[in-house]
């Protein structure tokens, strides 16, 4: 799992805070997402999440991501190219396991560099005592701290989205479960009850870092339109890209001249 893919998975991991015993309901959740890479390439966009039946969909101007818990598949649609691909949970798991075997076969130096990029270590999630109104709901702040991921999330117990939790857990399991790159984060966040309304997460990768902010602007308790829960009409199916991890380039060091 590369740093970029783990970053993309973070919103789904954060969604896993919803109580497991809550009754599912259809929801339309509008939110604002922003990304700051610290190099002048900050960007933002609007996105809408849909929970209906056993499907969890994230839709924006450039993409649509569908998790189908009945079919046990994930589908990513590119609106720019009008294409999509689908991968089963089992295929994701098999390719991740294959990647782990390739990682084990790498040289010690390269393997350590990859493992450092993937991160690890304990994750702490602790209440700060602060709270505020977000999208009309009272949300409490929690600080998130780990060797590579830091930030905060604001969670409300006034509304539930249990389908988001099930989708997040399925995604985390597909990429390695508790032993995967998001396992410790999923486990720690799963102890917090409620629905995240705002998350601010900074992921470090060596000297560089990327900050993502998701904030819910509106929650609508209604059944989503059927057409947003499927691949848009007219899109062409493509073969799913490989999940092989790319090893970082190792630049040989020149010997120091005496």
């Amino acid at each position: 799992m590369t740093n970029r893919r783990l970053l993309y998975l973070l919103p789904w991991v954060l969604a896993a805070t919803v109580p497991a015993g809550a009754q599912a309901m259809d929801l339309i959740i509008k939110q604002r997402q922003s990304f700051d890479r610290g190099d002048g390439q900050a960007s933002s966009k609007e996105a809408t999440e849909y929970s209906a039946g056993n499907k969890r969909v994230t839709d924006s101007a450039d993409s649509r991501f569908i998790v189908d818990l009945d079919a046990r598949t994930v589908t990513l649609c590119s609106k720019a190219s009008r294409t999509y691909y689908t991968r089963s949970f089992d295929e994701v798991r098999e390719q991740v396991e294959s990647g782990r075997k390739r990682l084990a076969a790498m040289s010690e130096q390269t393997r350590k560099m990859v493992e450092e990029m993937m991160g690890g270590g304990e994750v702490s999630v602790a209440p700060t005592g602060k709270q505020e109104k977000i999208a009309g709901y009272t949300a409490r702040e929690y600080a998130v701290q780990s060797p590579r991921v830091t930030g905060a999330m604001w969670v409300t117990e006034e509304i539930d989205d249990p389908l988001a939790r099930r989708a997040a857990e399925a995604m985390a399991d597909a990429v390695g479960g508790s032993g995967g790159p998001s396992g410790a984060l999923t486990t720690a966040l799963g102890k917090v009850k409620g629905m995240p309304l705002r998350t601010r997460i900074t992921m470090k990768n060596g000297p560089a870092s990327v900050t993502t902010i998701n904030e819910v602007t509106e929650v609508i308790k209604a059944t989503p339109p059927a057409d947003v829960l499927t691949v848009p009409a007219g899109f062409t199916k493509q073969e799913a890209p490989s999940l092989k991890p790319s090893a970082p380039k190792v630049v040989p060091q020149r010997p120091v001249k005496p």
Side-chain angles (χ1 to χ4, degrees), residues 166-189:
R166 292 171 53 206
E169 289 177 341
M171 291 287 293
D173 180 66
V175 297
S178 60
S182 63
L185 187 59
T186 302
T187 300
L189 296 178

Side-chain angles (χ1 to χ4, degrees), residues 196-218:
L197 294 179
R198 179 193 298 147
T199 59
R200 180 184 180 92
I201 295 295
T202 297
M203 176 177 288
K204 298 178 182 178
N205 184 14
S209 65
V210 179
T211 298
T212 64
I213 302 174
N214 289 357
E215 179 163 351
V216 172
T217 57
E218 185 178 9

Side-chain angles (χ1 to χ4, degrees), residues 152-165:
M153 63 179 181
W154 287 258
V155 179
T156 183
E157 295 186 48
E158 297 176 352
I159 187 170
D160 294 332
D161 187 3
L163 182 58
R165 179 189 182 93

Side-chain angles (χ1 to χ4, degrees), residues 7-230:
L7 184 61
Y8 185 80
L9 183 59
L10 272 175
W12 292 86
V13 174
L14 291 166
T17 59
V18 179
Q23 184 177 0
M25 69 172 68
D26 290 352
L27 292 173
I28 301 173
I29 304 170
K30 297 183 179 182
Q31 60 182 296
R32 184 179 301 108
Q33 302 175 339
S34 62
F35 308 87
D36 187 352
R37 296 170 178 82
D39 55 3
Q41 298 184 29
S43 61
S44 63
K45 66 178 181 179
E46 305 293 322
T48 304
E49 294 184 335
Y50 301 96
S51 290
N54 278 325
K55 286 186 178 180
R56 189 62 156 62
V57 178
T58 301
D59 189 67
S60 66
D62 55 7
S63 65
R64 179 175 296 177
F65 186 66
I66 305 169
V67 179
D68 189 328
L69 296 177
D70 285 334
R72 293 181 53 78
T73 59
V74 293
T75 299
L76 181 60
C77 310
S78 170
K79 295 184 178 180
S81 62
R82 295 180 63 81
T83 60
Y84 74 96
Y85 66 82
T86 298
R87 181 181 282 118
S88 71
F89 293 166
D90 290 339
E91 288 173 335
V92 173
R93 187 176 295 106
E94 288 173 2
Q95 292 195 348
V96 170
E97 286 300 324
S98 178
R100 287 177 177 172
K101 292 179 181 179
R102 286 190 292 273
L103 178 63
M106 293 178 182
S107 68
E108 183 177 359
Q109 180 184 13
T110 302
R111 185 172 63 254
K112 286 183 177 180
M113 291 181 66
V114 174
E115 289 173 345
E116 288 177 0
M117 288 174 60
M118 292 173 65
E122 295 185 1
V123 179
S124 66
V125 181
T128 66
K130 299 178 182 179
Q131 67 178 41
E132 62 179 279
K133 285 281 187 178
I134 301 175
Y137 299 93
T138 300
R140 293 181 173 83
E141 184 186 36
Y142 291 80
V144 180
Q145 181 74 41
S146 77
R148 284 186 62 234
V149 178
T150 59
M153 63 179 181
W154 287 258
V155 179
T156 183
E157 295 186 48
E158 297 176 352
I159 187 170
D160 294 332
D161 187 3
L163 182 58
R165 179 189 182 93
R166 292 171 53 206
E169 289 177 341
M171 291 287 293
D173 180 66
V175 297
S178 60
S182 63
L185 187 59
T186 302
T187 300
L189 296 178
K191 297 177 181 178
V192 179
K193 293 183 179 181
M195 173 180 169
L197 294 179
R198 179 193 298 147
T199 59
R200 180 184 180 92
I201 295 295
T202 297
M203 176 177 288
K204 298 178 182 178
N205 184 14
S209 65
V210 179
T211 298
T212 64
I213 302 174
N214 289 357
E215 179 163 351
V216 172
T217 57
E218 185 178 9
V219 179
I220 304 171
K221 298 178 182 179
T223 300
D227 61 345
V228 302
L229 302 177
T230 62

